[in-house]
Amino acid sequence: MKRAFSLRSKLFFLSFTLSFIPVVAISFYLSAKAEDGLRTVLKGKTEHALSFSAYFFKSKQDEALALARMYAGKADLLEPFRLGDRDSLNEALQAIFADLKNNYGVTILEYGDENGQVFLRAHNPGKFGDDKSGNGSIAATLAGRELGGFEFGSSGLAVRAFVPIRDQDGNRVIGSFQIGYNLDQALLEAINPLISGDVAFYEKDTLVQTSLPEEQDQLRKLKEPGIFKRIEAGETRVELPSGNSRLLTYSPLLDPAGEKLQGMMRLGLDISILGKLQRESMTAMAILVATVSALVAILAMVAGKAIVRPIDLARDILREIAEGEADLTRRVPVQTRDEVGQMTESFNQTLEKIGDIVGTVKKEALFLGSTGLALASNMEETAAAVHQIASNIEGIRRLAANQATGTRAAGDAVDGIVEGIETLGRLINDQAASVVESSASIEEMVANIE
């Protein structure tokens, strides 16, 4: 048997559903908009970090270029270089290099000859003569270009500036001059608070420098071959989440000439605040949905009660009518002018007509009752007459019975007479036979006598 749900339950369920669905839809829409907003904020934060880090390193590059231009053409340095006097050049450079290191943080100062071989390293005077003619940045500089950017060298990854060294006439390139800043821990850590994150550099797919103290033991050990392949394939940005608190963004690291992919730069952004905002947004949305749902439920109950109450009263009255205990003078209050109110008015009119019909039936019942009493009295008299007639019929029946008895006796006498006649007939027949037989004997005797 199917379970019966009351009209009030159905109205409550329908009202709650019709009200709850839009609330949920709006909540999902607002949640999606909030998530889009968080993505926009995250994208903006990523763009800011990338732009600021690019600006930070570009400023170091421009500073290195300015310094390189300043010292590459100094006459007191150009003359010993042109003459190939390494010792005199080194003696002149040491004071300059110490000043640049103290005031600007310069860690690399290097001269190269026109064949691409290292002529002098002020930061490491004992090491020279190695061939860098295959280096794209050195080749471009010897071709007369000024360059700046990230470069991997024997002293590690650095921001370097390359400028050509020209002869006294300024027409012919006779060597290369470079100044640079090694990306040491202090330099990298200085950028962390500026971008609200951290920065790391990879030589191809291998981690070579990071601003995170906890990653220092991973240098030259941690490899990201999958990400580097994506960068090699042409992706300019690879974003990957790291837990719920960091977003890692990888971008290509080209040489200063912009021709060769050397590795990757990784920015790690702290997105814990965004996760917190997202959780708070979801919590607020859940509270909003719960509050609105409760209000909708209350309104649905009140509305359902207002609609169903007159129907309940009508049901109770009809049930009393069915049980024969109805008070037909009761009426259902009409509180609205809608369909329920109109139905209530019609119900009250129906009750009124039923009451009129019942009143008429009662009057007719009283009349029929008195008529029935009169008929009952007449029936008693009729019954007495019928009884008398029955007594007379009984007397006649007894007389008829007596007459029938006499008739049966006469019948029996007649039957005896008939039986006697039949017996007499048989005797006569027997006598006649004897006479015939005697006659035959006499005739026989007569015949014999003759």
Side-chain angles (χ1 to χ4, degrees):
M1 181 178 179
K2 291 184 178 180
R3 182 180 178 183
F5 293 95
S6 66
L7 180 59
R8 181 175 299 177
S9 299
K10 293 177 181 177
L11 287 173
F12 171 79
F13 178 76
L14 180 62
S15 301
F16 182 80
T17 302
L18 292 178
S19 302
F20 183 74
I21 289 175
V23 170
V24 173
I26 292 173
S27 299
F28 274 110
Y29 173 76
L30 293 177
S31 178
K33 294 296 288 183
E35 190 170 348
D36 288 342
L38 289 175
R39 287 198 189 100
T40 302
V41 171
L42 180 59
K43 183 178 180 181
K45 188 174 182 180
T46 302
E47 294 293 342
H48 168 75
L50 289 171
S51 299
F52 191 86
S53 60
Y55 169 77
F56 178 83
F57 292 115
K58 182 67 166 56
S59 64
K60 300 300 289 184
Q61 171 188 319
D62 291 342
E63 183 181 75
L65 272 173
L67 293 173
R69 292 189 190 106
M70 181 186 302
Y71 289 98
K74 287 182 68 70
D76 55 338
L77 298 177
L78 180 59
E79 184 62 21
F81 173 74
R82 187 177 64 81
L83 296 175
D85 188 351
R86 182 177 293 107
D87 293 334
S88 297
L89 179 60
N90 181 50
E91 185 178 350
L93 276 177
Q94 287 306 310
I96 295 174
F97 178 67
D99 182 64
L100 291 174
K101 186 175 182 179
N102 292 330
N103 294 322
Y104 297 98
V106 171
T107 57
I108 298 170
L109 196 158
E110 181 178 311
Y111 277 85
D113 63 22
E114 58 184 344
N115 297 317
Q117 293 185 342
V118 176
F119 180 75
L120 176 65
R121 290 185 174 96
H123 55 283
N124 189 5
K127 186 178 180 181
F128 57 86
D130 42 320
D131 187 6
K132 287 189 176 183
S133 58
N135 183 288
S137 299
I138 297 295
T141 302
L142 294 176
R145 294 176 56 189
E146 292 184 351
L147 304 173
F150 294 101
E151 180 79 17
F152 287 97
S154 59
S155 57
L157 179 63
V159 177
R160 304 192 186 204
F162 300 81
V163 296
I165 302 175
R166 301 180 182 275
D167 59 12
Q168 292 179 338
D169 297 333
N171 296 322
R172 187 171 69 90
V173 175
I174 60 173
S176 63
F177 180 78
Q178 60 175 296
I179 284 179
Y181 309 90
N182 279 108
L183 297 181
D184 57 12
Q185 191 67 17
L187 179 63
L188 294 182
E189 288 182 357
I191 199 175
N192 285 3
L194 301 178
I195 62 172
S196 300
D198 56 87
V199 63
F201 291 90
Y202 291 75
E203 184 175 2
K204 293 187 177 180
D205 62 351
T206 304
L207 180 67
V208 295
Q209 192 59 271
T210 177
S211 63
L212 289 177
E214 59 267 28
E215 282 188 336
Q216 295 304 312
D217 59 345
Q218 295 295 312
L219 297 180
R220 297 288 176 182
K221 298 178 182 178
L222 179 63
K223 295 180 180 294
E224 302 282 3
I227 298 175
F228 185 70
K229 285 182 180 179
R230 293 173 63 179
I231 296 295
E232 276 188 314
E235 292 189 46
T236 58
R237 184 183 303 179
V238 177
E239 293 183 352
L240 297 174
S242 177
N244 296 322
S245 59
R246 293 177 72 227
L247 176 68
L248 304 181
T249 303
Y250 296 82
S251 55
L253 192 65
L254 301 177
D255 65 359
E259 298 173 352
K260 181 182 177 182
L261 178 64
Q262 302 184 102
M264 304 180 293
M265 181 176 72
R266 186 197 73 197
L267 289 179
L269 300 180
D270 182 7
I271 58 172
S272 58
I273 184 64
L274 297 180
K276 181 180 179 182
L277 289 175
Q278 188 175 26
R279 290 190 296 271
E280 291 177 352
S281 174
M282 295 298 294
T283 302
M285 200 65 63
I287 294 173
L288 175 63
V289 170
T291 303
V292 173
S293 299
L295 292 176
V296 167
I298 293 172
L299 292 176
M301 291 176 64
V302 172
K305 185 176 180 180
I307 294 173
V308 175
R309 187 172 181 275
I311 298 177
D312 286 342
L313 291 174
R315 179 202 59 196
D316 294 340
I317 293 174
L318 289 174
R319 182 181 295 165
E320 291 176 359
I321 292 174
E323 294 173 353
E325 300 177 356
D327 180 6
L328 297 178
T329 62
R330 289 180 61 185
R331 296 292 182 269
V332 179
V334 180
Q335 298 176 340
T336 61
R337 302 304 303 171
D338 56 12
E339 289 81 357
V340 175
Q342 295 171 9
M343 182 195 71
T344 305
E345 286 184 351
S346 299
F347 180 78
N348 288 336
Q349 293 172 2
T350 302
L351 280 182
E352 185 177 355
K353 290 183 178 180
I354 292 174
D356 293 341
I357 293 171
V358 171
T360 303
V361 170
K362 283 184 177 179
K363 291 178 183 179
E364 295 297 329
L366 290 174
F367 174 73
L368 291 174
S370 61
T371 303
L373 290 175
L375 288 174
S377 177
N378 293 333
M379 286 299 294
E380 288 179 358
E381 294 176 359
T382 303
V386 169
H387 180 70
Q388 184 62 41
I389 293 170
S391 298
N392 294 335
I393 292 172
E394 181 63 23
I396 294 170
R397 186 188 66 77
R398 283 196 298 271
L399 290 175
N402 292 333
Q403 187 175 2
T405 302
T407 301
R408 282 196 299 272
D412 292 339
V414 170
D415 290 339
I417 294 170
V418 170
E419 185 179 354
I421 291 172
E422 290 177 351
T423 303
L424 181 59
R426 286 194 299 273
L427 291 175
I428 291 172
N429 288 332
D430 291 340
Q431 189 65 38
S434 296
V435 172
V436 170
E437 185 179 354
S438 295
S439 294
S441 297
I442 292 172
E443 288 177 357
E444 182 179 1
M445 288 175 64
V446 171
N448 291 331
I449 292 174
E450 291 179 354

